[in-house]
Amino acid sequence: MEKEKIIEIKHLGKIYDNEGAKTEALRSVNFSIHHGEFVAIMGPSGSGKSTLLQILGLLDPATAGQYLLFGKNVDKLTDEEQASIRNNRMGFIFQSFNLLPKTTVLDNVILPLVYSGKPESDWESLALKAIDAVGLNHRLMHETSQLSGGEKQRVAIARALINSPEIIFADEPTGNLDSKSGAMVMKFIQDLNEKMGHTVILITHETYTAEHAERIIRIHDGEIISDAKVENRQRATGELKK
């Protein structure tokens, strides 16, 4: 039995208009992603993959086509409904970590809960559970500016998990890491998909990183040039140091 589609893109387009100078970033993009898939969107700098991530993550609207998310046309959703989906049903892991530097690991992970509607009395226990999952209990009260790159990315993963999202977006998650830390992060991202059941959408320009996914959508000059299963999938072997 085929799993349900949680993302369906039909003839999606995006044009940026900068004082009359128009740039077509995406043109007639079509694909679907099913619940529980691990999909890499791969392309060189300027290919449109980051624009596509912004649209999929409800951070920027398309200018053409249709985006169905959880069976609903996102154009029909209010700003408040989109914000609720973004905060409660999506998690984001960025290359630059996007952490508050003079704030503790615990408070960084708690942050999404402020907008979640969950009782404040539950915030700390939920954060502790997420921090434990990435093996950073010993760094709980450290400021994130005191952490290594690999530890910062693990904090970002814990923060992305805090609301138990259905979709995890990972935008070049190993881009600022050494190879050992990168392998550890990719192992955890594979586990998010295979052991915890999250749908994962990975944005990358690297073939090796993309091959950790089950399927690669290749994009070039705003168009999809291929969409295929990974034949010889990479298996990350990094281990968390607690």
Side-chain angles (χ1 to χ4, degrees):
M1 182 177 176
E2 188 176 64
K3 292 183 177 179
E4 65 174 323
K5 291 179 183 177
I6 60 172
I7 286 175
E8 191 170 4
I9 296 294
K10 300 178 179 180
H11 305 294
L12 199 76
K14 178 68 177 180
I15 296 175
Y16 292 104
D17 190 341
N18 184 14
E19 298 180 351
K22 295 184 177 182
T23 303
E24 190 174 29
L26 295 172
R27 61 178 70 87
S28 197
V29 171
N30 296 275
F31 64 87
S32 298
I33 296 176
H34 292 80
H35 177 77
E37 275 198 279
F38 184 173
V39 179
I41 297 174
M42 180 186 163
S45 178
S47 61
K49 63 184 186 298
S50 295
T51 298
L52 185 54
L53 169 66
Q54 294 280 315
I55 294 171
L56 295 178
L58 302 179
L59 299 168
D60 195 26
T63 51
Q66 189 177 62
Y67 175 17
L68 300 177
L69 176 65
F70 304 118
K72 295 182 179 180
N73 187 333
V74 300
D75 289 340
K76 307 297 184 185
L77 300 174
T78 65
D79 290 345
E80 291 77 14
E81 287 171 331
Q82 290 196 26
S84 177
I85 291 172
R86 199 162 50 239
N87 196 59
N88 294 299
R89 304 183 76 177
M90 296 177 172
F92 296 86
I93 305 167
F94 297 101
Q95 176 179 351
S96 55
F97 316 128
N98 287 10
L99 303 175
L100 301 175
K102 295 296 183 181
T103 306
T104 65
V105 168
L106 179 62
D107 286 340
N108 267 278
V109 175
I110 282 175
L111 187 60
L113 295 174
V114 175
Y115 310 99
S116 70
K118 292 183 173 68
E120 189 172 351
S121 57
D122 294 342
W123 291 358
E124 186 167 321
S125 62
L126 289 168
L128 290 173
K129 182 179 179 182
I131 292 166
D132 180 63
V134 297
L136 283 177
N137 288 333
H138 63 298
R139 295 292 204 185
L140 198 64
M141 302 311 295
H142 284 68
E143 292 182 355
T144 56
S145 57
Q146 299 173 303
L147 305 183
S148 69
E151 288 172 333
K152 288 177 182 178
Q153 195 58 289
R154 284 153 65 184
V155 175
I157 291 171
R159 186 184 56 191
L161 291 177
I162 194 69
N163 283 319
S164 300
E166 290 148 88
I167 306 173
I168 299 284
F169 293 99
D171 186 12
E172 302 279 7
T174 63
N176 285 335
L177 303 179
D178 59 62
S179 58
K180 189 173 182 180
S181 296
M184 179 181 64
V185 166
M186 288 311 302
K187 171 68 165 62
F188 199 84
I189 289 173
Q190 283 187 328
D191 286 349
L192 290 179
N193 173 248
E194 295 176 1
K195 296 181 180 180
M196 300 174 69
H198 296 282
T199 302
V200 176
I201 299 173
L202 171 70
I203 307 297
T204 185
H205 67 280
E206 298 175 336
T207 299
Y208 174 77
T209 301
E211 287 175 347
H212 286 81
E214 302 169 294
R215 170 183 162 205
I216 299 175
I217 296 172
R218 285 183 167 84
I219 187 168
H220 187 76
D221 290 341
E223 296 181 295
I224 290 177
I225 57 173
S226 67
D227 182 350
K229 292 285 186 182
V230 177
E231 294 295 332
N232 297 299
R233 191 177 178 193
Q234 300 290 342
R235 305 301 309 186
T237 57
E239 294 184 3
L240 295 177
K241 290 183 179 179
K242 298 194 178 184

